[in-house]
Amino acid sequence: MTQVKICGIRTITAARIAIKAGADYLGFNFVPTSERYVNPNRAKQIIDEVGCDIYTVGVFQNAPLQQVVGIASFLPLDFVQLHGNEPPSYCQKIETNMIKVFTLPKDFDVEETITKMKKYSQCVNYFMVDKKKISKSRKIDFKKCRKIANTFPLVFAG
């Protein structure tokens, strides 16, 4: 089953366009250093305006646990997406559904990656894989990812 998450939503217009285009999830970026950052109060206005017929995802990276839990509760979010170095013990303290991101180098080892993911399997609903370095020329190895997808549900960043 294919589902689409549009991330970086910062306006009601963008949210409506994403929904009209068929998005299943709206992503709100709460990483303060990101150019796609949105204030939680603004995100709440957008979510309240567009209604609750779509899943909402909050994107965080190495944020204090209380901040993640607080924003997830305030909005409320359907999913928390963690992009940083959050350990399994951190993730286990979050009650919201979770997407944990694994940023992979070009030559990643499948078995090593699966072993790392298993440490999170008790608290994560989906794993997202993304390439380690941003570039147009290098793509993630989908054959290797298919092997991971045989063990865990995967989401791809694009």
Side-chain angles (χ1 to χ4, degrees):
M1 174 167 80
T2 302
Q3 294 187 321
V4 175
K5 177 173 77 79
I6 304 295
C7 214
I9 300 296
R10 295 175 34 197
T11 66
I12 292 169
T13 301
R16 286 188 177 138
I17 290 170
I19 292 167
K20 187 174 180 180
D24 301 289
Y25 302 80
L26 294 180
F28 298 89
N29 190 323
F30 300 113
V31 180
T33 57
S34 172
E35 63 185 33
R36 295 180 181 165
Y37 171 80
V38 64
N39 179 288
N41 290 318
R42 180 68 180 134
K44 181 155 181 51
Q45 291 172 337
I46 295 167
I47 292 167
D48 289 347
E49 180 72 24
V50 299
C52 58
D53 292 339
I54 191 164
Y55 292 112
T56 55
V57 180
V59 177
F60 301 88
Q61 184 177 43
N62 299 322
L65 180 64
Q66 295 82 358
Q67 178 184 3
V68 174
V69 171
I71 291 173
S73 176
F74 169 67
L75 292 179
L77 295 173
D78 296 301
F79 288 87
V80 166
Q81 181 174 311
L82 301 176
H83 266 268
N85 300 316
E86 302 88 359
S89 58
Y90 176 102
C91 297
Q92 291 167 354
K93 295 175 183 165
I94 298 173
E95 295 181 13
T96 307
N97 292 319
M98 189 175 311
I99 301 166
K100 177 65 178 122
V101 179
F102 277 76
T103 307
L104 304 173
K106 181 179 181 178
D107 58 346
F108 73 93
D109 180 90
V110 172
E111 293 307 317
E112 181 182 318
T113 303
I114 288 172
T115 298
K116 288 178 184 177
M117 288 177 165
K118 282 182 179 178
K119 294 176 183 178
Y120 291 86
S121 62
Q122 296 295 318
C123 55
V124 170
N125 301 84
Y126 299 100
F127 290 97
M128 178 181 283
V129 292
D130 198 359
K131 59 187 177 182
K132 192 161 197 114
K133 196 172 189 179
I134 298 173
S135 74
K136 293 182 181 180
S137 62
R138 190 181 71 76
K139 294 181 174 72
I140 199 159
D141 187 330
F142 290 114
K143 288 181 183 179
K144 287 183 174 182
C145 290
R146 186 175 292 131
K147 292 177 184 177
I148 295 171
N150 288 332
T151 305
F152 298 109
L154 284 186
V155 175
F156 290 93

